[in-house]
Amino acid sequence: MRNPEKFWGRMAKDVDPQSDQLDEEQSRMVQKIAKYLTEDDVVLDYGCARGGITLALADKVKMIHGIDLSLKMIAIAKKRLARRTLKNVVFQQTKLCNTPFTPASFEVVFALNVLHLVENPNQTIARINKILKPSGRFIFETSCLKGQG
């Protein structure tokens, strides 16, 4: 993908920033991920898009950061956050490799349907490994495209 930020910015126009509804797949992911979280966890949602899953899990953790490369998606996430009283959620428009997160910052990092889209998966996984605590958990789901690769 030549310009992923532009692509995801165009996708954002189809999103209702007033709706906090999760689709069936997102609801399933929230249930699965919640099993691996504790109230003491500091979490990163890498590729958070419009923030629906991030917001749905916020009450389960100490702090949750949502990052996405699309400024428009992050703007929607921030609008959704502004309608809530959550104090433990931060949304930021950035690329994972550009984040200022220090080593061992997170107990949990999750990346949903994003790893198959990154230019350099090895670099991405190395960065995630670096910002995870030694006993941290990396949760991911990605598309498996038949006949690809």
mmCIF file of all heavy atoms in Angstrom, residues 80-108:
data_model
loop_
_atom_site.group_PDB
_atom_site.id
_atom_site.type_symbol
_atom_site.label_atom_id
_atom_site.label_comp_id
_atom_site.label_asym_id
_atom_site.label_seq_id
_atom_site.Cartn_x
_atom_site.Cartn_y
_atom_site.Cartn_z
ATOM 1 N N ARG A 80 -15.315 10.067 20.308
ATOM 2 C CA ARG A 80 -16.013 9.045 21.094
ATOM 3 C C ARG A 80 -15.571 9.093 22.560
ATOM 4 O O ARG A 80 -16.387 8.966 23.463
ATOM 5 C CB ARG A 80 -15.761 7.665 20.502
ATOM 6 C CG ARG A 80 -16.463 7.465 19.179
ATOM 7 C CD ARG A 80 -16.126 6.146 18.556
ATOM 8 N NE ARG A 80 -17.044 5.881 17.464
ATOM 9 C CZ ARG A 80 -16.982 4.821 16.705
ATOM 10 N NH1 ARG A 80 -16.062 3.889 16.920
ATOM 11 N NH2 ARG A 80 -17.848 4.644 15.727
ATOM 12 N N LEU A 81 -14.289 9.273 22.771
ATOM 13 C CA LEU A 81 -13.765 9.362 24.125
ATOM 14 C C LEU A 81 -14.316 10.586 24.851
ATOM 15 O O LEU A 81 -14.640 10.515 26.043
ATOM 16 C CB LEU A 81 -12.236 9.405 24.107
ATOM 17 C CG LEU A 81 -11.527 9.612 25.446
ATOM 18 C CD1 LEU A 81 -11.879 8.492 26.427
ATOM 19 C CD2 LEU A 81 -10.020 9.702 25.229
ATOM 20 N N ALA A 82 -14.456 11.692 24.162
ATOM 21 C CA ALA A 82 -14.913 12.937 24.776
ATOM 22 C C ALA A 82 -16.328 12.813 25.350
ATOM 23 O O ALA A 82 -16.687 13.554 26.266
ATOM 24 C CB ALA A 82 -14.860 14.075 23.757
ATOM 25 N N ARG A 83 -17.099 11.882 24.839
ATOM 26 C CA ARG A 83 -18.466 11.685 25.340
ATOM 27 C C ARG A 83 -18.502 10.802 26.586
ATOM 28 O O ARG A 83 -19.567 10.524 27.109
ATOM 29 C CB ARG A 83 -19.338 11.063 24.255
ATOM 30 C CG ARG A 83 -19.563 11.981 23.066
ATOM 31 C CD ARG A 83 -20.684 11.489 22.162
ATOM 32 N NE ARG A 83 -20.650 10.081 21.871
ATOM 33 C CZ ARG A 83 -20.029 9.521 20.825
ATOM 34 N NH1 ARG A 83 -19.371 10.275 19.986
ATOM 35 N NH2 ARG A 83 -20.071 8.226 20.630
ATOM 36 N N ARG A 84 -17.358 10.368 27.051
ATOM 37 C CA ARG A 84 -17.280 9.475 28.207
ATOM 38 C C ARG A 84 -16.488 10.136 29.332
ATOM 39 O O ARG A 84 -15.814 11.130 29.117
ATOM 40 C CB ARG A 84 -16.613 8.162 27.805
ATOM 41 C CG ARG A 84 -17.397 7.416 26.750
ATOM 42 C CD ARG A 84 -16.590 6.239 26.248
ATOM 43 N NE ARG A 84 -17.328 5.502 25.258
ATOM 44 C CZ ARG A 84 -17.476 4.192 25.297
ATOM 45 N NH1 ARG A 84 -16.945 3.480 26.256
ATOM 46 N NH2 ARG A 84 -18.159 3.581 24.362
ATOM 47 N N THR A 85 -16.553 9.531 30.487
ATOM 48 C CA THR A 85 -15.810 10.066 31.633
ATOM 49 C C THR A 85 -14.540 9.275 31.908
ATOM 50 O O THR A 85 -13.981 9.383 32.989
ATOM 51 C CB THR A 85 -16.703 10.059 32.896
ATOM 52 O OG1 THR A 85 -17.127 8.711 33.143
ATOM 53 C CG2 THR A 85 -17.903 10.968 32.726
ATOM 54 N N LEU A 86 -14.077 8.531 30.954
ATOM 55 C CA LEU A 86 -12.874 7.713 31.119
ATOM 56 C C LEU A 86 -11.639 8.591 31.249
ATOM 57 O O LEU A 86 -11.430 9.514 30.459
ATOM 58 C CB LEU A 86 -12.706 6.773 29.923
ATOM 59 C CG LEU A 86 -13.805 5.738 29.715
ATOM 60 C CD1 LEU A 86 -13.637 5.061 28.362
ATOM 61 C CD2 LEU A 86 -13.804 4.722 30.830
ATOM 62 N N LYS A 87 -10.814 8.289 32.236
ATOM 63 C CA LYS A 87 -9.564 9.030 32.463
ATOM 64 C C LYS A 87 -8.333 8.182 32.151
ATOM 65 O O LYS A 87 -7.212 8.652 32.296
ATOM 66 C CB LYS A 87 -9.490 9.494 33.927
ATOM 67 C CG LYS A 87 -10.652 10.360 34.353
ATOM 68 C CD LYS A 87 -10.622 11.691 33.660
ATOM 69 C CE LYS A 87 -11.746 12.565 34.184
ATOM 70 N NZ LYS A 87 -12.176 13.548 33.242
ATOM 71 N N ASN A 88 -8.551 6.943 31.744
ATOM 72 C CA ASN A 88 -7.431 6.022 31.530
ATOM 73 C C ASN A 88 -7.223 5.650 30.063
ATOM 74 O O ASN A 88 -6.633 4.621 29.756
ATOM 75 C CB ASN A 88 -7.634 4.743 32.349
ATOM 76 C CG ASN A 88 -8.822 3.920 31.871
ATOM 77 O OD1 ASN A 88 -9.792 4.464 31.338
ATOM 78 N ND2 ASN A 88 -8.756 2.627 32.081
ATOM 79 N N VAL A 89 -7.693 6.511 29.151
ATOM 80 C CA VAL A 89 -7.570 6.239 27.722
ATOM 81 C C VAL A 89 -6.854 7.406 27.044
ATOM 82 O O VAL A 89 -7.184 8.571 27.295
ATOM 83 C CB VAL A 89 -8.951 6.046 27.060
ATOM 84 C CG1 VAL A 89 -8.809 5.783 25.565
ATOM 85 C CG2 VAL A 89 -9.732 4.927 27.733
ATOM 86 N N VAL A 90 -5.878 7.063 26.202
ATOM 87 C CA VAL A 90 -5.170 8.061 25.402
ATOM 88 C C VAL A 90 -5.162 7.576 23.961
ATOM 89 O O VAL A 90 -4.836 6.416 23.696
ATOM 90 C CB VAL A 90 -3.711 8.237 25.887
ATOM 91 C CG1 VAL A 90 -2.940 9.176 24.974
ATOM 92 C CG2 VAL A 90 -3.671 8.715 27.318
ATOM 93 N N PHE A 91 -5.543 8.459 23.040
ATOM 94 C CA PHE A 91 -5.446 8.153 21.617
ATOM 95 C C PHE A 91 -4.391 9.054 20.995
ATOM 96 O O PHE A 91 -4.299 10.244 21.309
ATOM 97 C CB PHE A 91 -6.788 8.393 20.908
ATOM 98 C CG PHE A 91 -7.824 7.362 21.235
ATOM 99 C CD1 PHE A 91 -8.953 7.697 21.971
ATOM 100 C CD2 PHE A 91 -7.688 6.049 20.814
ATOM 101 C CE1 PHE A 91 -9.925 6.755 22.277
ATOM 102 C CE2 PHE A 91 -8.643 5.088 21.116
ATOM 103 C CZ PHE A 91 -9.762 5.449 21.844
ATOM 104 N N GLN A 92 -3.584 8.450 20.087
ATOM 105 C CA GLN A 92 -2.502 9.204 19.457
ATOM 106 C C GLN A 92 -2.348 8.759 18.008
ATOM 107 O O GLN A 92 -2.332 7.558 17.722
ATOM 108 C CB GLN A 92 -1.206 8.960 20.228
ATOM 109 C CG GLN A 92 -0.001 9.660 19.681
ATOM 110 C CD GLN A 92 1.263 9.326 20.468
ATOM 111 O OE1 GLN A 92 1.263 8.504 21.371
ATOM 112 N NE2 GLN A 92 2.348 9.971 20.105
ATOM 113 N N GLN A 93 -2.191 9.729 17.123
ATOM 114 C CA GLN A 93 -1.922 9.423 15.723
ATOM 115 C C GLN A 93 -0.412 9.286 15.577
ATOM 116 O O GLN A 93 0.344 10.239 15.807
ATOM 117 C CB GLN A 93 -2.451 10.539 14.821
ATOM 118 C CG GLN A 93 -2.328 10.244 13.334
ATOM 119 C CD GLN A 93 -1.068 10.798 12.700
ATOM 120 O OE1 GLN A 93 -0.480 11.760 13.159
ATOM 121 N NE2 GLN A 93 -0.635 10.157 11.637
ATOM 122 N N THR A 94 0.046 8.089 15.273
ATOM 123 C CA THR A 94 1.469 7.828 15.104
ATOM 124 C C THR A 94 1.676 6.451 14.487
ATOM 125 O O THR A 94 0.765 5.628 14.460
ATOM 126 C CB THR A 94 2.210 7.909 16.471
ATOM 127 O OG1 THR A 94 3.613 7.842 16.226
ATOM 128 C CG2 THR A 94 1.791 6.808 17.409
ATOM 129 N N LYS A 95 2.873 6.220 14.026
ATOM 130 C CA LYS A 95 3.285 4.884 13.608
ATOM 131 C C LYS A 95 3.941 4.223 14.810
ATOM 132 O O LYS A 95 4.596 4.887 15.618
ATOM 133 C CB LYS A 95 4.281 4.959 12.453
ATOM 134 C CG LYS A 95 3.662 5.463 11.174
ATOM 135 C CD LYS A 95 4.677 5.482 10.059
ATOM 136 C CE LYS A 95 4.020 5.964 8.780
ATOM 137 N NZ LYS A 95 4.974 5.998 7.661
ATOM 138 N N LEU A 96 3.809 2.931 14.925
ATOM 139 C CA LEU A 96 4.355 2.201 16.070
ATOM 140 C C LEU A 96 5.847 2.463 16.260
ATOM 141 O O LEU A 96 6.313 2.690 17.371
ATOM 142 C CB LEU A 96 4.097 0.704 15.923
ATOM 143 C CG LEU A 96 4.648 -0.174 17.038
ATOM 144 C CD1 LEU A 96 3.904 0.093 18.339
ATOM 145 C CD2 LEU A 96 4.553 -1.637 16.657
ATOM 146 N N CYS A 97 6.590 2.450 15.191
ATOM 147 C CA CYS A 97 8.046 2.610 15.299
ATOM 148 C C CYS A 97 8.451 4.040 15.648
ATOM 149 O O CYS A 97 9.598 4.290 15.996
ATOM 150 C CB CYS A 97 8.718 2.139 14.016
ATOM 151 S SG CYS A 97 8.527 0.349 13.792
ATOM 152 N N ASN A 98 7.506 4.982 15.567
ATOM 153 C CA ASN A 98 7.800 6.376 15.916
ATOM 154 C C ASN A 98 7.363 6.747 17.327
ATOM 155 O O ASN A 98 7.534 7.887 17.729
ATOM 156 C CB ASN A 98 7.099 7.325 14.936
ATOM 157 C CG ASN A 98 7.622 7.190 13.530
ATOM 158 O OD1 ASN A 98 8.677 6.626 13.286
ATOM 159 N ND2 ASN A 98 6.874 7.702 12.580
ATOM 160 N N THR A 99 6.789 5.813 18.050
ATOM 161 C CA THR A 99 6.268 6.142 19.376
ATOM 162 C C THR A 99 7.404 6.330 20.375
ATOM 163 O O THR A 99 8.450 5.696 20.261
ATOM 164 C CB THR A 99 5.335 5.028 19.906
ATOM 165 O OG1 THR A 99 6.076 3.815 19.999
ATOM 166 C CG2 THR A 99 4.117 4.858 19.031
ATOM 167 N N PRO A 100 7.168 7.175 21.367
ATOM 168 C CA PRO A 100 8.202 7.407 22.385
ATOM 169 C C PRO A 100 8.148 6.393 23.530
ATOM 170 O O PRO A 100 8.800 6.594 24.543
ATOM 171 C CB PRO A 100 7.848 8.811 22.895
ATOM 172 C CG PRO A 100 6.360 8.870 22.763
ATOM 173 C CD PRO A 100 6.043 8.084 21.505
ATOM 174 N N PHE A 101 7.383 5.321 23.376
ATOM 175 C CA PHE A 101 7.256 4.352 24.461
ATOM 176 C C PHE A 101 8.616 3.760 24.816
ATOM 177 O O PHE A 101 9.374 3.351 23.950
ATOM 178 C CB PHE A 101 6.283 3.235 24.099
ATOM 179 C CG PHE A 101 4.902 3.716 23.746
ATOM 180 C CD1 PHE A 101 4.298 3.316 22.576
ATOM 181 C CD2 PHE A 101 4.208 4.577 24.590
ATOM 182 C CE1 PHE A 101 3.016 3.752 22.249
ATOM 183 C CE2 PHE A 101 2.938 5.022 24.277
ATOM 184 C CZ PHE A 101 2.342 4.615 23.099
ATOM 185 N N THR A 102 8.880 3.704 26.104
ATOM 186 C CA THR A 102 10.147 3.148 26.581
ATOM 187 C C THR A 102 10.057 1.625 26.610
ATOM 188 O O THR A 102 8.961 1.059 26.627
ATOM 189 C CB THR A 102 10.480 3.686 27.987
ATOM 190 O OG1 THR A 102 9.420 3.342 28.869
ATOM 191 C CG2 THR A 102 10.672 5.189 27.964
ATOM 192 N N PRO A 103 11.208 0.966 26.645
ATOM 193 C CA PRO A 103 11.176 -0.500 26.753
ATOM 194 C C PRO A 103 10.388 -0.946 27.983
ATOM 195 O O PRO A 103 10.394 -0.279 29.019
ATOM 196 C CB PRO A 103 12.657 -0.866 26.869
ATOM 197 C CG PRO A 103 13.365 0.240 26.147
ATOM 198 C CD PRO A 103 12.562 1.482 26.478
ATOM 199 N N ALA A 104 9.698 -2.045 27.826
ATOM 200 C CA ALA A 104 8.923 -2.669 28.905
ATOM 201 C C ALA A 104 7.843 -1.736 29.462
ATOM 202 O O ALA A 104 7.619 -1.681 30.664
ATOM 203 C CB ALA A 104 9.852 -3.164 30.001
ATOM 204 N N SER A 105 7.161 -1.022 28.576
ATOM 205 C CA SER A 105 6.099 -0.091 28.980
ATOM 206 C C SER A 105 4.749 -0.764 29.207
ATOM 207 O O SER A 105 3.913 -0.227 29.921
ATOM 208 C CB SER A 105 5.903 0.983 27.909
ATOM 209 O OG SER A 105 7.028 1.786 27.766
ATOM 210 N N PHE A 106 4.512 -1.906 28.568
ATOM 211 C CA PHE A 106 3.172 -2.478 28.536
ATOM 212 C C PHE A 106 3.127 -3.921 29.015
ATOM 213 O O PHE A 106 4.014 -4.714 28.696
ATOM 214 C CB PHE A 106 2.607 -2.422 27.111
ATOM 215 C CG PHE A 106 2.481 -1.024 26.582
ATOM 216 C CD1 PHE A 106 3.447 -0.499 25.739
ATOM 217 C CD2 PHE A 106 1.401 -0.233 26.937
ATOM 218 C CE1 PHE A 106 3.338 0.798 25.261
ATOM 219 C CE2 PHE A 106 1.289 1.053 26.463
ATOM 220 C CZ PHE A 106 2.259 1.575 25.622
ATOM 221 N N GLU A 107 2.052 -4.246 29.732
ATOM 222 C CA GLU A 107 1.779 -5.635 30.089
ATOM 223 C C GLU A 107 1.132 -6.363 28.909
ATOM 224 O O GLU A 107 1.316 -7.566 28.726
ATOM 225 C CB GLU A 107 0.831 -5.723 31.292
ATOM 226 C CG GLU A 107 1.489 -5.525 32.624
ATOM 227 C CD GLU A 107 1.639 -4.054 33.007
ATOM 228 O OE1 GLU A 107 1.008 -3.176 32.390
ATOM 229 O OE2 GLU A 107 2.402 -3.782 33.936
ATOM 230 N N VAL A 108 0.364 -5.614 28.112
ATOM 231 C CA VAL A 108 -0.354 -6.204 26.983
ATOM 232 C C VAL A 108 -0.278 -5.268 25.780
ATOM 233 O O VAL A 108 -0.455 -4.055 25.915
ATOM 234 C CB VAL A 108 -1.853 -6.447 27.321
ATOM 235 C CG1 VAL A 108 -2.606 -7.024 26.125
ATOM 236 C CG2 VAL A 108 -1.997 -7.343 28.538
#
